[in-house]
Amino acid sequence: RHHLLPPPSGPSSRPRATMSRRAVIVSTARTGLTKSFRSGFNNTHGAVMQGHAIKHAIEKAGISPGDVEDVIIGCGFPEGATGMNIARNAALWAGCPVTTSGTTINRFCSSGLQAVASAAHSVMVDGVDVAIGGGVESISMVSPVASKTTVTEEKLMSEFPALWMPMIETADIVSARYGISREAQDVYSVESQRRTAAAQEAGLFKDEIVPMKATMLVTDKETGETSHKTVLADRDECNRPGTTLEALAGMNPVRSKVDPSAFITAGNASQLSDGASACVVMSEAEASRRGLQPLGAFKGFAVAGCAPDEMGIGPVFAVPRLLARHGLKVDDIDLWELNEAFAVVPLYSMQQLGIDHAKTNVNGGSIAIGHPFGMTGSRMVGHALLEGKRRGAKSAVVTMCIGGGMGAAGLFEIF
């Protein structure tokens, strides 16, 4: 009997109406993003990165770890160092009691956004008072293993072979199929680097990044010997402020050997990186009861499917679905976070949807900041709310393409 937990008590156990509740985001915290394989987090377990983000999101919210009922974490590759239900493990690492639950969800590059939406849904529908939505990715520790253990399926491989197609190849397909030139992609990428550099110089990421010490694995290129080095990850380190159009134009496409007309280079694609993010989501009534000032409110979420070989056009279908359900038009949205998986993705989406680039990725995106697959959506939510408040914006949409042929979009009100 000593293993039995006492029945729940306090605010979380009170009866409450569930269908008219509003979900608000009261805090956000994340790690800086480090370059995969060769930098700060290349030997850091996912539970450590995500636990760090959760711990500090809780502290920023001014709540106790035990107030959190559920932790929902998105992960693009939830296996290896980000496996074993990384959400539950990270919650415990962060200091949450065993009474706090956790679940890991996967929708590839929208996993972090999906997690925030799912946390909000639990508040709005299930009567949860406090939840956490976030995302984590350790490309350094997981990708080398995952790439060797992929198993295809005969029927799907016959009918939908692009389900296993490398994302770079799908981006080349979108570029050629819809006439998005290499030059346009390079021009866009230079601007992304410029915007991120300006934002870093102005300290615009400091209120979301929580510095974290890590033990980095260092490999001697000549001898192959490894050693360990203590580092402090206190900023996003992928940005290349001096990037020029001439430099990008001189880069060979990644797939040039198999396709001489390919478009995608290391300069116009997102950068592989490691990191984690967390957002504390709460019912508006609970936030008011606690005297908290939320960053904004979750308004809605939509997904849409498309052909797997052109997964990069997913936002073109998800965004109209989201806006239509809320009686809105593109011009009604003040701020857009449109994931820069590849430059062709925001370029085509802005072109087709009529989105103003001046409102989109105003402080740069994944091309310059980095893209830990399952983490990015949560990072974009937190940044949209913080930057929106600085700009006096009232609404934001966070959207991205998704491997396998999908798009996702979330609508947020900014306080």
Side-chain angles (χ1 to χ4, degrees):
R1 291 183 59 84
H2 63 282
H3 292 296
L4 297 178
L5 297 170
S9 60
S12 64
S13 65
R14 293 196 298 264
R16 68 208 75 165
T18 58
M19 296 309 292
S20 62
R21 289 159 56 92
R22 288 227 306 173
V24 296
I25 294 88
V26 297
S27 71
T28 186
R30 69 176 180 91
T31 67
L33 302 192
T34 68
K35 298 174 182 178
S36 296
F37 309 115
R38 52 200 172 99
S39 196
F41 291 145
N42 69 353
N43 195 40
T44 301
H45 195 283
V48 179
M49 291 188 290
Q50 186 65 73
H52 180 80
I54 291 171
K55 177 178 184 291
H56 288 279
I58 288 172
E59 290 179 359
K60 283 187 173 186
I63 62 175
S64 299
D67 294 333
V68 181
E69 183 171 328
D70 202 9
V71 173
I72 304 171
I73 298 301
C75 184
F77 289 87
E79 50 200 280
T82 50
M84 295 295 293
N85 192 4
I86 195 67
R88 168 66 169 172
N89 295 349
L92 295 177
W93 192 99
C96 292
V98 295
T99 49
T100 297
S101 296
T103 187
T104 306
I105 56 179
N106 171 257
R107 203 193 284 267
F108 288 139
C109 291
S110 73
S111 297
L113 174 61
Q114 178 73 63
V116 174
S118 296
H121 293 157
S122 73
V123 168
M124 297 166 73
V125 177
D126 295 326
V128 172
D129 274 335
V130 183
I132 286 177
V136 63
E137 205 73 46
S138 174
I139 294 175
S140 293
M141 297 190 72
V142 177
S143 288
V145 177
S147 63
K148 298 177 182 178
T149 57
T150 299
V151 180
T152 61
E153 193 281 322
E154 184 178 0
K155 181 177 185 294
L156 286 172
M157 181 57 82
S158 174
E159 297 179 9
F160 301 100
L163 288 173
W164 285 276
M165 181 181 286
M167 294 298 97
I168 287 178
E169 187 173 352
T170 70
D172 275 330
I173 288 172
V174 170
S175 302
R177 189 172 289 171
Y178 298 104
I180 308 299
S181 71
R182 161 73 183 274
E183 182 180 9
Q185 296 180 50
D186 288 348
V187 168
Y188 179 93
S189 300
V190 170
E191 176 63 7
S192 178
Q193 296 284 358
R194 186 198 68 77
R195 291 184 180 190
T196 296
Q200 287 184 324
E201 183 67 23
L204 300 185
F205 298 113
K206 288 185 177 179
D207 51 359
E208 58 197 66
I209 296 175
V210 181
M212 176 179 167
K213 287 185 178 180
T215 301
M216 173 182 166
L217 188 65
V218 180
T219 303
D220 187 295
K221 292 183 179 180
E222 295 184 1
T223 66
E225 293 183 356
T226 59
S227 59
H228 295 87
K229 177 182 178 182
T230 299
V231 298
L232 178 67
D234 59 356
R235 67 192 299 273
D236 300 322
E237 63 177 38
C238 296
N239 180 225
R240 303 185 186 101
T243 300
T244 64
L245 184 58
E246 292 73 23
L248 293 192
M251 300 180 75
N252 289 324
V254 176
R255 300 179 56 254
S256 59
K257 291 183 179 180
V258 296
D259 181 4
S261 62
F263 299 77
I264 309 305
T265 71
N268 60 32
S270 58
Q271 297 188 53
L272 300 179
S273 51
D274 306 320
S277 168
C279 298
V280 174
V281 184
M282 193 177 291
S283 72
E284 189 171 42
E286 183 67 12
S288 176
R289 187 184 74 81
R290 293 171 178 263
L292 303 179
Q293 297 295 321
L295 302 173
F298 171 85
K299 301 292 289 183
F301 178 73
V303 293
C306 60
D309 71 344
E310 56 178 24
M311 66 94 199
I313 71 172
V316 171
F317 305 107
V319 168
R321 178 172 287 175
L322 174 72
L323 296 183
R325 289 174 176 171
H326 292 269
L328 297 171
K329 298 179 181 179
V330 166
D331 289 342
D332 295 325
I333 305 304
D334 298 321
L335 205 60
W336 295 81
E337 284 287 320
L338 208 170
N339 189 37
E340 298 172 354
F342 305 93
V344 67
V345 176
L347 281 172
Y348 182 73
S349 297
M350 289 189 297
Q351 177 191 98
Q352 292 298 305
L353 297 173
I355 299 173
D356 186 353
H357 191 192
K359 296 180 179 180
T360 308
N361 301 340
V362 294
N363 292 323
S366 292
I367 288 172
I369 296 171
H371 181 26
F373 310 131
M375 174 267 202
T376 295
S378 176
R379 177 193 70 76
M380 292 164 69
V381 170
H383 187 69
L385 295 176
L386 292 169
E387 181 60 25
K389 186 172 184 178
R390 282 191 288 263
R391 291 173 175 251
K394 297 301 181 184
S395 60
V397 166
V398 175
T399 183
M400 66 276 292
C401 61
I402 306 166
M406 291 180 284
L411 176 64
F412 297 86
E413 179 182 347
I414 303 166
F415 292 166

